[in-house]
Amino acid sequence: MANVSSIVDVLRLRRNAWWIVPEVVAAVALVAAGLYWNAVAPRLAEPELRARATVALATEMERASADEHARHGHQLGPDDRMLCEAEIFGIDPSGDGRERNVRTAYGYYLCASGKPGTPFLAALMNAGPVVLHLDADRPGDRLQTTTLEQDLDAQLRAMMPERFRVQARKGFTTVDPPRALRDRFEREVTSAT
């Protein structure tokens, strides 16, 4: 009689556990999709990763609120437009090749701000080393810039690894970012009325 009750228990379990099959199938499908995506995710060369981080940095700076800009030492009036260009000279982790794994980007920025009609040479300008924390939870915590009130070397030691500090002190490696900023500013701010 023990065998019959065991068989009945197994049949009840099979009848009552039907819901587990779709859940197991879904879990297996998610794991397979994750493994597939990890295997085929596009790997980019480091210059391409830096270029994409550069766009993210400039966009982040331009979209920041007036309060966020004030935290970085940039004063914006209510009618001011701010345009920024940047150059990223390092990322962490490097060598992975996957954009989604880049957590931190190190670079240099230049921003110009002014009311519509302001000539580029009359714009308020800010420049300096910058760190973009791509893994920060809040957008306001993503940017870290230096300030004039503190020692630059001490700030750089706190902000970035030693291998990036020399370039951070030098600024841009080419004239392209400042030239691009001037051209954009003249197009979008100076000529606006």
Side-chain angles (χ1 to χ4, degrees):
M1 220 29 142
N3 270 345
V4 172
S5 74
S6 305
I7 294 171
V8 170
D9 289 340
V10 168
L11 290 175
R12 275 191 199 136
L13 180 61
R14 287 179 64 191
R15 184 178 46 162
N16 293 334
W18 64 268
W19 56 269
I20 206 163
V21 172
E23 302 226 352
V24 169
V25 169
V28 168
L30 283 174
V31 168
L35 292 172
Y36 176 76
W37 174 249
N38 194 37
V40 300
R43 292 182 188 266
L44 303 171
E46 185 140 337
E48 178 62 23
L49 290 172
R50 287 196 315 262
R52 290 180 184 210
T54 297
V55 171
L57 171 60
T59 301
E60 187 88 20
M61 293 191 86
E62 289 178 5
R63 288 184 181 168
S65 70
D67 289 339
E68 290 167 344
H69 280 295
R71 282 187 6 206
H72 303 294
H74 310 157
Q75 299 304 318
L76 289 178
D79 298 328
D80 287 350
R81 289 267 329 268
M82 177 175 277
L83 299 179
C84 301
E85 290 291 332
E87 178 181 10
I88 298 297
F89 44 79
I91 57 173
D92 274 331
S94 62
D96 179 333
R98 292 186 188 111
E99 183 176 14
R100 65 189 163 126
N101 290 344
V102 174
R103 298 288 175 247
T104 311
Y106 306 95
Y108 200 84
Y109 76 94
L110 172 63
C111 293
S113 61
K115 292 176 181 30
T118 303
F120 179 71
L121 293 178
L124 293 174
M125 303 219 191
N126 293 299
V130 63
V131 177
L132 176 62
H133 300 281
L134 294 161
D135 58 351
D137 292 334
R138 297 180 320 173
D141 295 335
R142 291 169 60 114
L143 293 172
Q144 184 180 6
T145 61
T146 57
T147 64
L148 295 175
E149 294 82 34
Q150 297 176 7
D151 176 58
L152 178 63
D153 288 332
Q155 291 179 79
L156 290 177
R157 278 192 302 278
M159 288 172 61
M160 61 184 62
E162 185 176 345
R163 66 187 187 273
F164 301 130
R165 290 187 210 142
V166 170
Q167 188 60 50
R169 283 185 201 88
K170 290 180 181 178
F172 295 113
T173 60
T174 71
V175 297
D176 294 341
R179 189 175 290 149
L181 179 62
R182 181 198 63 211
D183 293 347
R184 281 185 61 215
F185 196 89
E186 289 174 351
R187 235 183 5 260
E188 298 176 28
V189 179
T190 303
S191 65
T193 52

